[in-house]
Amino acid sequence: MWVSLCTLICGVVIASAEKGPELWELNTDAHHRVVRDLADEGHIDVWGHTRQNTKVLVEPELKHRVTRALSDANISHSVVVPDVFDLVEKERENMVLKKSRRKRSAGQMDWTTYHDLDDIEGFLGWLNVTGGNNVHIASASTTTEGRPVLVVRITNPNATGPKKKIWIEGGIHAREWISPAVTTYLMHQVALSPEWRDLLDVTEWYFVPVANPDGYQFSFSSNRARLWRKNRRDNGGLIARCRGVDLNRNWSLKWGVGASSNPCSETYKGIEAFSEPETFGLQRMMNSIPDIDLFITFHSFGQTVLYPWGWTRDPPSNVKQLKGLAKKFANAVNEASGSQTEYELGGSGPLYGLASGATDDWAYGELGVPFSYTIELPDQGTYGFLLPDSRISSTVTETAAGVYCMVRSLTNTGGRCGRRQARNQNVNPRFRG
Ligand SMILES: *[C@@H]1O[C@H](CO)[C@@H](O)[C@H](O)[C@H]1NC(C)=O
Ligand SMILES: *[C@@H]1O[C@H](CO)[C@@H](O)[C@H](O)[C@H]1NC(C)=O
Ligand SMILES: *[C@@H]1O[C@H](CO)[C@@H](O)[C@H](O)[C@H]1NC(C)=O
Ligand SMILES: *[C@@H]1O[C@H](CO)[C@@H](O)[C@H](O)[C@H]1NC(C)=O
């Protein structure tokens, strides 16, 4: 009797008591040696930072070690969120609720909730059919868990004049869920929206909706997995967080600067450049397309438009042009949002501290793409990676307005940008999956 009661109650208590990481704010910037060392060893996960403060995730079992290291360096900290799983749990409950409602109206993609890989692949299949000859889907490679890394080309094949080539990458970091939401929405607009239709004669788009499918799918599997960043490479060893390679530190230009050699770190760069099937396959496909004009990789969070370099603070040769096109994006977003959403612009090294092996530096420096950007989507840190789903539709429509203006400018096709454009970015098309 006692035994069975305990199996029941104790089981429940243990399950509900699994404690998640704490979110701390440190009174120092992220470049402090002690902060960098802790991150490098995988003892903290840097969530975000300003010039004065750094927010980090600390696992319960590492609290004492981290506290000691910080106090030895006279760095004080405060606890911002005592258990991040509380936030994750709220997000999950909301998603389950929405999913059960959606089931009744058959498979449907929308931009009011986050979608797992099955939903996204269902959407791609639908787009493939609906977009006819304009849409072509290929796989760049197969991940270690056997998933394809899909690339969707969208253009009007009947238009044979010169075209600007645009490569859009999303979802390279698993937990940045707003990124695949933005890439799928952009694909929808580019392929099907009347406002964008004429652009298909003068542009050729390549979309990677989810560059890290193993990591992305894993991030939907449990509360603990929600904050996963890397892919799912087995690096040997038994510690769960020591799996995976940071795919945005695995590109070959200046590989290793600002990245970690420790598999337990969130910025583990891997054993050599392009060791990972995702990055290897994507670079091979990018290399096969001559003269890509514009490259954008969507990340979260921070509301910044970053251009090269990441590995040095020196500006690149066409910094004026890079900044000019970034401004088109930022201004259009700002106007579309009714002056609510402000982006900061700058070189990623100067703004975020030096790091290399990222896609944008590689696209610019190795591939010679003249316009290469990392866009850190909303917000500015209030919710961070856990951007509420109530923010998805405004974020995707504002971002689409920004990209629209960049591409109008790049193709010299004029067109109206800003508020009106954003109003026309209607959300919620329905499709049968
Ligand atoms: C920390 O502060 C103490 C007392 O103010 C000082 O003696 C010590 O040198 C400081 N340590 C570091 C690493 O700055
Ligand atoms: C896309 O559609 C074509 C037929 O038009 C089909 O052969 C192909 O398998 C489809 N690809 C995907 C990924 O659905
Ligand atoms: C391209 O040409 C084909 C064959 O002439 C036609 O069926 C198709 O509708 C055209 N597509 C577009 C987007 O104009
Ligand atoms: C990527 O990771 C692999 C191993 O996981 C490593 O061999 C390769 O050097 C890394 N490359 C870059 C550019 O980080």
Side-chain angles (χ1 to χ4, degrees):
M1 174 66 185
W2 278 111
V3 173
S4 65
L5 200 63
C6 183
T7 355
L8 206 68
I9 296 173
C10 303
V12 170
V13 169
I14 289 164
S16 66
E18 194 204 3
K19 194 173 174 312
E22 298 184 4
L23 183 62
W24 290 7
E25 185 166 270
L26 318 181
N27 72 335
T28 184
D29 70 79
H31 311 306
H32 191 292
R33 186 184 51 78
V34 171
V35 176
R36 283 216 315 256
D37 287 351
L38 284 167
D40 200 51
E41 290 155 16
H43 291 157
I44 58 173
D45 174 7
V46 176
W47 174 276
H49 61 94
T50 64
R51 284 182 184 87
Q52 298 86 33
N53 296 304
T54 307
K55 282 188 184 157
V56 300
L57 290 175
V58 186
E59 292 295 339
E61 72 270 18
L62 295 169
K63 258 170 71 172
H64 294 297
R65 198 184 307 201
V66 173
T67 306
R68 192 158 358 102
L70 293 175
S71 65
D72 284 352
N74 291 343
I75 298 170
S76 71
H77 77 267
S78 57
V79 177
V80 184
V81 180
D83 187 347
V84 172
F85 281 2
D86 292 345
L87 303 179
V88 172
E89 190 52 41
K90 240 178 251 160
E91 182 185 68
R92 279 174 80 76
E93 281 165 10
N94 202 14
M95 273 168 57
V96 168
L97 194 72
K98 282 195 173 162
K99 188 141 192 161
S100 68
R101 279 196 207 127
R102 220 170 51 239
K103 275 263 158 58
R104 262 170 263 136
S105 49
Q108 195 182 107
M109 181 77 168
D110 59 32
W111 286 272
T112 62
T113 186
Y114 292 108
H115 293 276
D116 66 12
L117 208 56
D118 285 349
D119 282 3
I120 290 177
E121 288 182 354
F123 167 70
L124 298 185
W126 173 83
L127 195 70
N128 187 32
V129 172
T130 313
N133 289 334
N134 292 353
V135 175
H136 179 82
I137 302 180
S139 172
S141 63
T142 304
T143 65
T144 54
E145 293 184 353
R147 297 191 177 87
V149 179
L150 296 176
V151 181
V152 182
R153 192 189 74 207
I154 308 178
T155 187
N156 176 5
N158 297 358
T160 52
K163 292 175 178 172
K164 295 289 181 190
K165 293 179 192 139
I166 301 160
W167 184 285
I168 308 264
E169 176 195 270
I172 200 166
H173 287 148
R175 64 191 173 190
E176 299 168 9
W177 284 3
I178 189 64
S179 168
V182 161
T183 53
T184 49
Y185 183 73
L186 270 173
M187 285 163 58
H188 179 273
Q189 295 305 93
V190 169
L192 303 173
S193 163
E195 287 261 323
W196 297 63
R197 185 69 41 86
D198 64 298
L199 278 174
L200 286 187
D201 293 350
V202 291
T203 52
E204 190 170 307
W205 299 74
Y206 294 84
F207 285 97
V208 188
V210 185
N212 176 12
D214 290 352
Y216 186 70
Q217 193 62 359
F218 178 67
S219 71
F220 280 78
S221 66
S222 71
N223 287 351
R224 178 156 295 283
R226 173 63 184 91
L227 295 171
W228 194 256
R229 166 182 167 105
K230 301 180 279 185
N231 73 357
R232 296 291 297 155
R233 155 84 60 194
D234 185 351
N235 296 314
L238 294 173
I239 304 172
R241 68 189 151 82
C242 303
R243 278 181 88 108
V245 169
D246 183 349
L247 297 178
N248 206 37
R249 297 290 182 276
N250 199 238
W251 297 73
S252 63
L253 192 101
K254 304 281 173 189
W255 177 69
V257 176
S260 176
S261 311
N262 185 333
C264 305
S265 165
E266 290 295 341
T267 56
Y268 176 49
K269 64 188 176 168
I271 54 173
E272 63 180 337
F274 299 132
S275 56
E276 300 311 292
E278 297 89 344
T279 47
F280 181 81
L282 289 171
Q283 62 83 25
R284 186 177 48 191
M285 197 177 273
M286 290 170 84
N287 266 310
S288 74
I289 301 164
D291 304 326
I292 296 174
D293 297 282
L294 170 63
F295 168 85
I296 302 174
T297 176
F298 284 107
H299 287 249
S300 76
F301 54 93
Q303 282 172 222
T304 46
V305 184
L306 306 173
Y307 43 79
W309 301 104
W311 67 274
T312 168
R313 288 192 170 79
D314 297 338
S317 58
N318 68 335
V319 65
K320 261 202 181 129
Q321 287 82 355
L322 278 163
K323 202 180 224 167
L325 201 62
K327 266 194 187 138
K328 299 265 180 204
F329 175 87
N331 291 344
V333 169
N334 189 255
E335 200 176 327
S337 71
S339 308
Q340 295 299 300
T341 310
E342 304 251 9
Y343 272 82
E344 191 179 355
L345 319 177
S348 57
L351 267 190
Y352 274 67
L354 303 186
S356 74
T359 328
D360 57 347
D361 266 15
W362 178 84
Y364 183 85
E366 287 281 327
L367 209 53
V369 178
F371 294 99
S372 182
Y373 300 96
T374 294
I375 296 184
E376 296 281 357
L377 294 162
D379 60 9
Q380 286 174 308
T382 308
Y383 294 99
F385 304 116
L386 302 174
L387 189 72
D389 54 11
S390 58
R391 293 282 305 276
I392 301 173
S393 67
S394 60
T395 302
V396 301
T397 52
E398 289 164 23
T399 308
V403 172
Y404 180 86
C405 288
M406 282 175 120
V407 174
R408 285 284 173 209
S409 166
L410 196 66
T411 53
N412 279 315
T413 52
R416 294 162 302 272
C417 294
R419 198 183 299 268
R420 181 174 169 278
Q421 164 60 18
R423 262 208 307 275
N424 289 330
Q425 308 280 358
N426 62 324
V427 210
N428 295 341
R430 281 150 193 254
F431 79 94
R432 299 181 79 79

